[in-house]
Amino acid sequence: MWIKLKALSSILSHLLIGIALVDANLRCYDTGNFTLNSTYGKNRDLILASLLPNVSANGGFFTASISQDSNKIYALGMCRGDSTPNGCYTCLNASIQDLIASCPNRKEALSWGGDPPCLARYANRPFFGILELQPTDAGYNTADITSNLTQFDTIWESLMDRVVSKASSGSSTKYATGEANFTAFQTIHALMQCTPDLSHKDSDSCLRQSVSNYESCCRGKQGGYVQKPNCWFRWDLYPFYKRNASTAAAPSLSPPSLSPPPPPPDIKGM
């Protein structure tokens, strides 16, 4: 069972001024409105519609802008790195319809809809290539890590570092997955992705901040995720993505040693 944290409210509420929460995977920014039949409104619908064929046709990421001056609008779409073209199209179509329905006259909004998720975003200001760490959406699995948490954290943190490095160093696609064995029967799986318009430095910052946010709110849980305007991160104890060797982080050269199982109890005869 997943528990959602509404924009990490207990940790980051002081950073979320100016953003109205509609649902857990969608944000309507309270930064300006437009009249529904205005030029800006028509441009908003037009540019969002243009994302549908272009994102899946361009490797899962596309940016566009339209018009000039006060009617100019910018839009971005991205699908998760293991999405199929059809899955990408379906996710974006649903996310765009949600944006239009839930933020009908807002000049800026974003959605992380779908599973696997996709990102649809528009604004009346340029945001391509700009690192933005807010708003943040997060959630975690209600089940707890029941084994040695200190040992688990050591393995988990090593894996997160490797996946951050792999994802942020990408060029056309900033996407990576990775695995690490915790026990003979448990494997930690992680996935990270940034919008490719970010620099290596900003991608690294976005992902490391996401990992830090998760550790602050949800350490000790069996899985979780954090989503930001430029990146998303998820981990779990089961494979939730399609593995691809070219996007997989290299395994640790010296994985942390696991503690041996406790000796069996003495059995005394009668």
Side-chain angles (χ1 to χ4, degrees):
M1 179 180 177
W2 287 94
I3 294 293
K4 283 185 171 292
L5 302 179
K6 293 187 176 181
L8 291 178
S9 57
S10 63
I11 303 171
L12 303 169
S13 59
H14 62 290
L15 298 175
L16 300 178
I17 297 172
I19 298 167
L21 177 65
V22 173
D23 63 42
N25 289 315
L26 190 148
R27 299 291 186 273
C28 301
Y29 287 65
D30 189 17
T31 54
N33 298 330
F34 63 87
T35 305
L36 292 182
N37 292 322
S38 66
T39 300
Y40 187 91
K42 294 176 181 177
N43 286 342
R44 192 273 304 265
D45 294 347
L46 182 63
I47 200 169
L48 288 179
S50 76
L51 293 180
L52 287 174
N54 283 301
V55 173
S56 55
N58 286 275
F61 178 73
F62 186 74
T63 62
S65 62
I66 188 173
S67 194
Q68 298 293 328
D69 302 324
S70 61
N71 290 315
K72 189 164 187 176
I73 186 168
Y74 303 79
L76 176 154
M78 182 175 75
C79 290
R80 205 171 79 178
D82 60 343
S83 296
T84 64
N86 183 63
C88 178
Y89 185 98
T90 300
C91 182
L92 279 173
N93 184 51
S95 294
I96 288 169
Q97 296 307 314
D98 285 346
L99 282 177
I100 293 173
S102 299
C103 312
N105 66 337
R106 298 296 179 89
K107 287 193 171 183
E108 182 170 1
L110 70 83
S111 170
W112 299 282
D115 185 21
C118 57
L119 172 63
R121 181 182 181 189
Y122 71 88
N124 62 334
R125 59 181 178 85
F127 58 84
F128 306 148
I130 299 173
L131 175 62
E132 296 181 11
L133 299 176
Q134 298 303 326
T136 297
D137 174 51
Y140 61 90
N141 193 313
T142 56
D144 296 323
I145 300 296
T146 56
S147 302
N148 187 319
L149 185 56
T150 300
Q151 188 179 68
F152 180 87
D153 285 345
T154 299
I155 299 171
W156 188 89
E157 289 168 3
S158 175
L159 173 62
M160 297 307 130
D161 185 67
R162 288 188 284 115
V163 181
V164 167
S165 297
K166 176 70 174 179
S168 60
S169 64
S171 54
S172 59
T173 302
K174 285 183 164 59
Y175 166 82
T177 62
E179 297 86 34
N181 293 326
F182 175 46
T183 69
F185 306 102
Q186 281 189 320
T187 299
I188 307 169
H189 302 265
L191 178 150
M192 300 187 189
Q193 185 169 354
C194 291
T195 57
D197 56 330
L198 284 188
S199 66
H200 175 278
K201 178 181 177 181
D202 285 345
S203 297
D204 187 90
S205 296
C206 191
L207 292 172
R208 292 191 188 280
Q209 183 64 56
S210 297
V211 171
S212 178
N213 288 159
Y214 175 82
E215 290 182 299
S216 296
C217 74
C218 318
R219 178 177 175 269
K221 298 298 182 179
Q222 288 187 13
Y225 71 90
V226 176
Q227 300 178 137
K228 295 179 179 292
N230 293 112
C231 67
W232 54 55
F233 145 66
R234 180 183 170 187
W235 80 274
D236 221 309
L237 293 178
Y238 69 91
F240 57 90
Y241 49 78
K242 297 175 184 176
R243 195 175 189 279
N244 185 320
S246 66
T247 57
S252 175
L253 296 178
S254 55
S257 59
L258 300 178
S259 299
D266 293 334
I267 300 177
K268 297 181 180 180
M270 298 297 292

